[in-house]
């Protein structure tokens, strides 16, 4: 079998389920907006230093600053709408037909006192819907609860997402798991599920001793349909079995997992091993704007380092198309194969 070329990879119809909208800002847009928040970017090097993570992280502080600088750019409704539109447009040009974008209202709002959850959401929805008119693609938004914030904030986000369930497709829980158990969030995810929203949970990402156990907790306490990352389950055959038995899908992000030290190298990423064991895996970018990558970058990497074949990409994309929280009617319209 011949190896897929870059062109063939680009043309494959794709699904992406795990992409953070706030961290998907187009490089050209960052460069245009940065001076307005007082960051001058005279050359590519300065841009990279301020806004991109391209090497394995060792100190968390400098990384957080890059996240925050990007966040500062989201200072008006106009910018939010533009960022959402461009994120969809860029994804479409990567060959993505079905796209879920997620964001944390509590993160976007920081320092932007003139905005509120509703105005932020309306702006994102506007951009997304405009893109859906211009490009044949199906886009859905997922709201994120930040684990590290007080539980009252989680409650607020839950209510907000449920109130807007016509324009959200799911609820997610993100941030550091160590010391922030899933259990206290149980009732919020229960309410979200009952209202018809899909549940995905960031879990089993960092290389922590209890990481596989956290994935089980996310399934048991939060009713996770999908797990953001979940890569660490490769260390525990029992949890692998559990994930399979519960039919839970993993949203794997190879470059992200490498850059955050979740795996020692992209070559050592257990994606193929998990696939061969029958775990439902999907391929995602996580934070393309911050990592300076796109989905084709991930596909090329998988072809190069893991000898991925067209059949394997079709398998992961069929899984992703099926497991997307976007309604079947809407996603089937843009997807070339029957979703079942
Ligand atoms: Zn993520």
């Amino acid at each position: 079998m011949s190896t897929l070329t870059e062109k063939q990879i680009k043309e494959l119809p794709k699904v992406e389920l795990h992409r953070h909208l706030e961290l998907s800002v187009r490089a050209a847009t960052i460069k245009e907006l940065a001076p307005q928040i007082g960051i001058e970017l005279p050359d590519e090097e300065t841009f990279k230093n301020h806004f991109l993570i391209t090497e394995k992280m060792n100190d968390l502080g400098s990384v957080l600053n890059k996240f925050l600088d990007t966040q500062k750019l989201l200072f008006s409704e106009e910018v939010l709408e533009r960022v959402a539109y461009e994120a969809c447009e860029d994804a479409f040009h990567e060959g993505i037909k079905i796209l879920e974008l997620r964001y944390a209202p509590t993160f976007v709002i920081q320092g932007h006192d003139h905005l509120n959850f509703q105005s932020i959401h309306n702006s994102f929805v506007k951009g997304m819907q405009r893109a859906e008119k211009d490009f044949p693609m199906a886009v859905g938004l997922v709201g994120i609860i930040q684990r590290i914030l007080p539980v009252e904030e989680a409650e607020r986000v839950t209510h907000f997402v449920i109130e807007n369930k016509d324009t959200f497709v799911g609820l997610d829980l993100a941030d550091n798991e160590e010391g922030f158990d899933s259990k206290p969030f149980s009732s919020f995810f229960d309410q979200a599920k009952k209202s018809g929203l899909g549940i995905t949970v960031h879990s089993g990402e960092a290389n922590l001793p209890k990481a596989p156990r956290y994935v089980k907790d996310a399934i048991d306490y939060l009713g996770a349909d999908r797990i953001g990352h979940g890569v660490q389950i490769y260390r525990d055959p029992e949890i692998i079995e559990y994930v399979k038995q519960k039919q839970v899908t993993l949203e794997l992000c190879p470059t992200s997992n490498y850059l955050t030290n979740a795996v020692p190298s992209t070559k050592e990423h257990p994606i193929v091993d998990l696939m061969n064991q029958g775990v439902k895996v999907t391929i995602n970018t996580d934070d393309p704007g911050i990592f300076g990558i796109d989905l084709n970058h991930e596909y090329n990497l998988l072809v190069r380092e893991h000898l991925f074949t067209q059949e394997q990409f079709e398998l992961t994309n069929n899984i992703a198309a099926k497991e997307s929280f976007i309604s079947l009617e809407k996603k089937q319209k843009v997807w070339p194969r029957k979703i079942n």
Side-chain angles (χ1 to χ4, degrees):
M1 207 180 323
S2 62
T3 311
L4 286 168
T5 63
E6 271 189 43
K7 185 167 176 282
Q8 287 169 321
I9 286 170
K10 194 162 184 257
E11 285 165 357
L12 287 175
K14 304 174 192 77
V15 180
E16 175 148 355
L17 301 178
H18 191 128
R19 187 176 285 212
H20 293 261
L21 177 51
E22 317 93 314
L23 304 171
S24 299
V25 186
R26 188 186 280 174
T29 303
I30 294 178
K31 289 172 190 168
E32 187 190 317
L33 297 174
Q36 296 184 46
I37 58 161
I39 299 175
E40 295 299 330
L41 301 173
D43 51 48
E44 199 59 23
E45 199 54 30
T46 323
F47 162 67
K48 276 192 179 169
N49 287 340
H50 261 288
F51 291 99
L52 293 192
I53 296 166
T54 53
E55 279 164 36
K56 224 180 214 306
M57 305 173 185
N58 12 34
D59 83 298
L60 206 59
S62 64
V63 171
L64 284 178
N65 275 334
K66 295 189 190 206
F67 279 54
L68 290 174
D69 276 346
T70 302
Q71 190 273 347
K72 281 186 205 147
L73 298 173
L74 307 172
F75 52 72
S76 71
E77 292 181 25
E78 195 189 346
V79 169
L80 294 169
E81 184 189 338
R82 172 180 174 179
V83 163
Y85 180 87
E86 290 178 351
C88 297
E89 183 181 30
D90 290 348
F92 181 74
H93 291 304
E94 291 162 43
I96 296 171
K97 314 275 181 204
I98 300 171
L99 173 67
E100 288 185 25
L101 291 169
R102 58 186 71 196
Y103 76 93
T106 44
F107 177 71
V108 176
I109 204 164
Q110 282 172 47
H112 306 308
D113 293 341
H114 55 292
L115 297 173
N116 57 57
F117 283 4
Q118 198 61 54
S119 67
I120 289 168
H121 186 65
N122 293 350
S123 308
F124 280 152
V125 169
K126 237 168 140 182
M128 171 196 113
Q129 290 180 343
R130 195 153 58 78
E132 284 183 313
K133 280 204 188 85
D134 290 350
F135 312 103
M137 67 192 304
V139 188
L141 292 173
V142 173
I144 301 178
I145 291 175
Q146 294 187 268
R147 286 177 186 272
I148 52 171
L149 296 181
V151 126
E152 297 75 45
E153 287 292 295
E155 188 170 18
R156 220 175 119 219
V157 174
T158 306
H159 290 156
F160 169 70
V161 172
I162 292 175
E163 274 163 28
N164 287 277
K165 66 178 179 180
D166 291 344
T167 44
F168 274 115
V169 297
L171 186 65
D172 178 19
L173 185 64
D175 294 335
N176 176 25
E177 286 185 282
E178 202 169 33
F180 299 94
D181 286 351
S182 285
K183 218 172 175 178
F185 302 96
S186 183
S187 70
F188 307 137
F189 281 81
D190 191 42
Q191 288 169 49
K193 196 156 221 179
K194 284 194 178 117
S195 75
L197 290 158
I199 306 297
T200 177
V201 177
H202 276 76
S203 183
E205 175 182 7
N207 185 7
L208 300 166
K210 286 202 279 180
R213 171 61 45 176
Y214 293 145
V215 173
K216 185 173 187 298
D217 285 353
I219 298 169
D220 290 345
Y221 296 125
L222 308 177
D225 304 300
R226 304 191 325 228
I227 296 288
H229 303 288
V231 57
Q232 301 301 337
I233 69 165
Y234 80 94
R235 293 159 27 198
D236 190 330
E238 267 179 43
I239 305 292
I240 291 180
E241 272 315 305
Y242 195 66
V243 165
K244 279 165 63 179
Q245 185 202 326
K246 295 283 181 180
Q247 303 262 320
V248 168
T249 300
L250 301 189
E251 302 158 358
L252 296 176
C253 313
T255 293
S256 168
N257 290 159
Y258 160 67
L259 291 172
T260 62
N261 263 313
V263 294
S265 68
T266 48
K267 186 142 186 148
E268 287 161 274
H269 197 286
I271 182 165
V272 174
D273 192 32
L274 290 167
M275 244 171 109
N276 290 343
Q277 293 192 61
V279 177
K280 293 196 283 183
V281 308
T282 62
I283 305 161
N284 305 276
T285 57
D286 208 9
D287 309 319
I290 294 269
F291 299 143
I293 61 166
D294 65 8
L295 192 54
N296 290 317
H297 175 277
E298 299 303 277
Y299 279 42
N300 280 298
L301 177 159
L302 290 168
V303 167
R304 217 171 41 239
E305 298 183 356
H306 294 271
L307 310 175
F308 249 67
T309 62
Q310 177 154 351
E311 288 70 29
Q312 286 173 310
F313 286 126
E314 283 174 5
L315 171 69
T316 55
N317 278 299
N318 283 343
I319 292 168
K322 183 168 181 220
E323 301 302 331
S324 165
F325 301 143
I326 297 169
S327 76
L328 180 60
E329 194 199 353
K330 182 172 167 178
K331 62 192 179 185
Q332 186 65 80
K333 268 189 201 149
V334 296
W335 189 245
R337 299 185 288 269
K338 176 133 180 59
I339 300 173
N340 56 27

